[in-house]
Amino acid sequence: MFELKNVTKKFNSDLFTKEFVAVNNLSFELKMGSVTGFLGANGAGKTTSLKMIMDFIRPDSGEILFNEAMGIEKSKILSNLGFLPERPYFYPHLTGREFCIYMGKLSGLSKSDIDSQIQKWGPIFKIEFALDREVRNYSKGMLQRIGFLVTLLHDPKLIILDEPLSGLDPIGRKELKEVITKVNHEGKTVFFSSHIISDVEEVCQNVIFIKDGALFYEGTVEKIIGENSSGMTTITFSENDELSKLTIDSDKVNDQLMKLVQEKKEIIKVSRDRPSLEEIIYNVK
Amino acid sequence: MLNKVLIIASYTAKEIIKSKILLNTLFLGIGLFIVTFVAYSFSYGDPTRVALDFGMGCLSLSSVGISIFMGVSLYYDEIDNRTIYQIISRPVSRGSFLIGKYLGLGSVLFLNIVILSVISLILYFVLGGEYNSLILWNIIYTVLEAFLCLAIVTLCSLLTSKVFSVIITISLYISGHAISGVKLLTFVEKRPALEAIIDGYQFLLPGFYKLNIKDFLLYKNDLSLSYLFSTLGYGATYILALLLLSIFIFKKKDLN
């Protein structure tokens, strides 16, 4: 959907302080149709990168290219793109519905299209009951939901979310993850930054991990986990009503299972020892 | 593009109106009414002239005050609160955003001036004042003055902090009114270099004094149409130039 080529961004708060490199020669490509997690510690350069992708700030060097499916002109690209900023702020005196209509109109939707989109997404985000309240009376979770709703209002091909799950309770996170999976199944590409690694592992096929503003890893979640797995498998079995565990090389699992069965032992569980994405990332850090 | 500008303007006005700012205008109007009536009651000679002077003066000051103090937050808060991300992540150019916000607050300012003018003029006519076309021109110039202040504070808020923006705009407003009087001082007239500096100021910086026609309204009751229209053109051109410069800067600005 888009590609970053050697993008660098430096900040300099004043003439007397040293330049700070927020993003350093960053290159990666976002595959169409995927859910990709954008990982990195606080201050790694995730939000700065997203701001450059959205053209809120400009890179000092390098370029960001969108593919033809997104459009050539900036207005066309933006009409195919939905963006949810981190901790989204809204106009406090507008109601949720007014805000949706405002954003929908800016995206070129007709009133009837906006209404049908609100009818579609309102119940999914469980926000329809609050649409006629002023946004200043919304809780943090409700703000995140209305923000997500307006992000999807114009049916974008690419959805970019900056820390969409932060600050939500477990139920809220689960529901938003379900929406991410749902829109991906509808053919949309999702790119979201997060520091909650377990969430990324749960919903993403691909992951881009940056460290100190530079690319550290780019690839599938399965690949990074596979590369960091021990290659061992643990067989849990029962013998004389006592549970025992046996950890062996994964290549020898079938032979070992046959042997245990022949010995009349009850196989309880066979599990491949694989680290979670979180464990891998923490080791890297 | 115009459609997007109008959408942003209408929702900006809606948000401001719902924040009950016009309630303040109503209180301001009641205050204006009382102050004007008191000034009328305590004056001798031509009390209706005093009522008109007070009314138009308060109208000008309040509309400039609102334009500066609300205008300084118009863009600054959008960037600071990141509400701007919700808008410019859609197919909306930065120029449309800037003009839309300007017109949104401008329409509220206009409404504010209309309300205060009506209150002020009701009292003036009730007290026996007579209609003069310069009253209407004075109200038009008050709108122009408020819009000019809004354009100045808009430009400043894109370049510096809120406090500095307010200080710069108020300084320009005061000096823009005082500069014509300064030029008439003997001290200045005797110093050609100083006079040249003042001429340069008058050429470059906003000449608010041109928009002040209260003396003509109160004492002379006449002003040529060519002056009135050329001043209108001057104000409108100045506002347009400031907005174009603001758009140019806003397009280059990193929205952190």
Side-chain angles (χ1 to χ4, degrees):
Chain A
M1 299 302 277
F2 66 81
E3 188 181 0
L4 269 74
K5 282 186 174 174
N6 307 108
V7 170
T8 297
K9 181 70 184 177
K10 296 170 188 167
F11 290 111
N12 200 348
S13 55
D14 57 61
L15 290 171
F16 307 104
T17 51
K18 202 182 161 195
E19 220 171 36
F20 166 67
V21 182
V23 175
N24 187 11
N25 203 27
L26 182 63
S27 300
F28 66 81
E29 189 180 356
L30 185 75
K31 302 270 188 313
M32 193 186 278
S34 64
V35 180
T36 302
F38 192 33
L39 286 172
N42 287 337
K46 301 189 296 293
T47 297
T48 303
S49 302
L50 292 183
K51 283 178 182 173
M52 286 191 286
I53 292 164
M54 294 305 301
D55 197 32
F56 299 154
I57 59 176
R58 273 91 194 211
D60 294 320
S61 62
E63 53 184 351
I64 297 163
L65 304 167
F66 285 86
N67 70 11
E68 283 181 7
M70 289 293 289
I72 295 164
E73 290 174 9
K74 190 183 170 188
S75 62
K76 186 70 187 164
I77 292 170
L78 289 175
S79 62
N80 283 322
L81 203 159
F83 175 69
L84 177 66
E86 185 184 8
R87 296 192 303 276
Y89 285 82
F90 303 92
Y91 300 100
H93 296 287
L94 295 183
T95 65
R97 191 179 303 281
E98 283 170 341
F99 185 69
C100 289
I101 295 169
Y102 183 15
M103 294 299 117
K105 281 182 178 176
L106 288 180
S107 295
L109 300 182
S110 66
K111 181 73 172 60
S112 59
D113 286 342
I114 296 168
D115 287 341
S116 67
Q117 284 293 81
I118 291 173
Q119 275 179 1
K120 176 185 173 186
W121 292 109
I124 293 171
F125 284 109
K126 297 185 176 138
I127 194 73
E128 77 274 32
F129 71 95
L131 284 173
D132 295 311
R133 281 189 214 163
E134 286 190 355
V135 172
R136 65 188 165 137
N137 298 319
Y138 279 23
S139 68
K140 190 175 181 187
M142 288 158 80
L143 289 176
Q144 202 76 359
R145 285 161 196 266
I146 194 84
F148 212 153
L149 192 156
V150 295
T151 304
L152 300 176
L153 209 58
H154 54 296
D155 203 23
K157 290 178 183 170
L158 169 63
I159 298 158
I160 297 179
L161 314 164
D162 192 5
E163 301 280 0
L165 306 170
S166 67
L168 292 176
D169 61 31
I171 296 170
R173 276 167 52 192
K174 180 178 172 288
E175 287 169 355
L176 289 195
K177 279 186 277 186
E178 284 170 2
V179 175
I180 289 173
T181 308
K182 176 182 163 61
V183 294
N184 179 241
H185 288 159
E186 287 176 3
K188 299 182 194 321
T189 306
V190 183
F191 182 58
F192 76 93
S193 73
S194 181
H195 58 264
I196 306 170
I197 302 164
S198 57
D199 288 334
V200 171
E201 184 177 0
E202 207 176 313
V203 290
C204 295
Q205 298 109 33
N206 300 314
V207 63
I208 291 162
F209 179 42
I210 62 169
K211 193 182 173 194
D212 299 328
L215 183 69
F216 193 84
Y217 176 80
E218 179 187 12
T220 63
V221 174
E222 280 307 311
K223 192 176 165 211
I224 191 172
I225 289 175
E227 283 172 357
N228 288 277
S229 294
S230 61
M232 305 297 277
T233 297
T234 300
I235 302 170
T236 309
F237 59 93
S238 169
E239 184 178 21
N240 301 327
D241 291 337
E242 273 188 23
L243 282 181
S244 302
K245 282 187 178 179
L246 184 64
T247 301
I248 55 167
D249 199 317
S250 296
D251 298 341
K252 296 171 184 162
V253 169
N254 288 347
D255 294 342
Q256 189 63 43
L257 282 174
M258 296 271 280
K259 193 176 162 197
L260 289 169
V261 169
Q262 282 166 3
E263 290 169 4
K264 308 283 184 198
K265 287 168 186 164
E266 188 186 355
I267 309 296
I268 306 294
K269 188 179 167 191
V270 180
S271 61
R272 178 167 284 193
D273 291 350
R274 47 176 267 162
S276 67
L277 188 59
E278 195 159 8
E279 286 165 334
I280 296 167
I281 300 292
Y282 279 137
N283 284 336
V284 167
K285 282 182 188 172
Chain B
M1 181 186 163
L2 184 64
N3 183 36
K4 301 278 166 74
V5 169
L6 293 177
I7 292 168
I8 293 169
S10 67
Y11 277 89
T12 301
K14 196 174 201 173
E15 164 75 5
I16 296 171
I17 289 167
K18 285 182 85 175
S19 70
K20 299 189 174 63
I21 184 72
L22 287 181
L23 209 62
N24 295 336
T25 304
L26 205 65
F27 287 124
L28 204 63
I30 294 167
L32 174 66
F33 195 93
I34 293 167
V35 168
T36 309
F37 188 75
V38 169
Y40 165 82
S41 304
F42 282 91
S43 56
Y44 297 95
D46 193 352
T48 51
R49 188 183 288 171
V50 175
L52 188 63
D53 191 13
F54 252 83
M56 292 296 115
C58 290
L59 176 69
S60 171
L61 280 179
S62 65
S63 54
V64 165
I66 292 172
S67 75
I68 292 174
F69 288 101
M70 286 198 70
V72 75
S73 299
L74 192 64
Y75 304 94
Y76 200 92
D77 286 359
E78 283 276 348
I79 297 168
D80 208 35
N81 291 337
R82 287 171 283 159
T83 38
I84 191 172
Y85 293 167
Q86 302 269 5
I87 299 190
I88 59 165
S89 61
R90 293 171 194 274
V92 176
S93 70
R94 291 190 185 195
S96 301
F97 174 81
L98 190 133
I99 298 294
K101 295 294 289 183
Y102 181 88
L103 291 180
L105 179 54
S107 61
V108 177
L109 263 177
F110 181 75
L111 196 61
N112 178 73
I113 291 169
V114 167
I115 292 170
L116 291 178
S117 300
V118 167
I119 292 171
S120 177
L121 290 179
I122 284 173
L123 186 63
Y124 172 69
F125 288 125
V126 165
L127 296 175
E130 289 177 2
Y131 176 74
N132 176 348
S133 64
L134 282 184
I135 293 175
L136 187 63
W137 276 104
N138 190 68
I139 294 169
I140 292 170
Y141 280 4
T142 303
V143 173
L144 207 60
E145 190 178 56
F147 275 50
L148 184 54
C149 282
L150 182 57
I152 294 169
V153 83
T154 293
L155 177 63
C156 292
S157 68
L158 296 175
L159 295 168
T160 183
S161 70
K162 269 183 170 182
V163 175
F164 271 117
S165 302
V166 170
I167 291 171
I168 293 168
T169 311
I170 291 175
S171 305
L172 286 174
Y173 176 73
I174 293 169
S175 59
H177 272 291
I179 198 78
S180 62
V182 170
K183 208 183 164 189
L184 300 175
L185 295 173
T186 318
F187 180 80
V188 177
E189 282 176 345
K190 286 180 180 171
R191 289 167 177 79
L194 197 55
E195 206 170 2
I197 291 170
I198 290 171
D199 283 342
Y201 180 102
Q202 284 184 317
F203 180 73
L204 275 176
L205 295 169
F208 282 100
Y209 66 92
K210 290 182 183 173
L211 304 174
N212 183 5
I213 57 166
K214 281 188 205 73
D215 281 354
F216 291 93
L217 169 63
L218 296 169
Y219 304 111
K220 294 168 189 166
N221 286 330
D222 194 27
L223 205 54
S224 71
L225 273 179
S226 64
Y227 176 84
L228 291 169
F229 278 107
S230 66
T231 305
L232 192 68
Y234 167 79
T237 309
Y238 212 109
I239 291 169
L240 191 66
L242 286 174
L243 288 179
L244 288 174
L245 186 60
S246 298
I247 291 171
F248 177 77
I249 291 166
F250 194 47
K251 280 186 173 174
K252 303 265 177 204
K253 191 175 170 68
D254 270 357
L255 302 172
N256 263 317

